[in-house]
Amino acid sequence: MGLKVRVDQDTCTACELCYDRIPEVFKDIGDGIADVVKVDIEDGDERWMNVPEDLADDVQEVADECPSGSIIVEEE
């Protein structure tokens, strides 16, 4: 079972942690606010990216370290 990830842009504090550490998954969309680099799943206003298996541990670690808790990781 894989992971999916999204960024809650309403709570993102633009700390740059996620896209500095994992630019394959996260990007700066302006003013430091983060988003996923590609959208695999749209669920209402939630935009999810499937996490590449080799980056799953890194994505979970960055989500755990996110100071605003804006990175949401779920199992698919």
Side-chain angles (χ1 to χ4, degrees):
M1 188 165 256
L3 296 179
K4 62 182 183 178
V5 64
R6 72 178 180 89
V7 178
D8 183 340
Q9 295 170 351
D10 292 334
T11 60
C12 177
T13 59
C15 75
E16 304 177 7
L17 170 72
C18 59
Y19 50 81
D20 277 352
R21 294 254 305 270
I22 316 173
E24 303 91 342
V25 176
F26 302 102
K27 65 181 178 180
D28 178 353
I29 61 166
D31 293 330
I33 301 300
D35 198 3
V36 292
V37 297
K38 76 175 183 167
V39 176
D40 295 309
I41 305 160
E42 287 197 57
D43 184 10
D45 61 349
E46 295 178 356
R47 300 161 35 94
W48 295 90
M49 177 178 171
N50 293 323
V51 177
E53 193 173 318
D54 61 324
L55 295 174
D57 290 342
D58 294 333
V59 168
Q60 187 62 62
E61 185 175 301
V62 166
D64 292 343
E65 294 176 10
C66 177
S68 62
S70 299
I71 300 172
I72 297 95
V73 177
E74 292 182 4
E75 287 190 4
E76 288 193 274

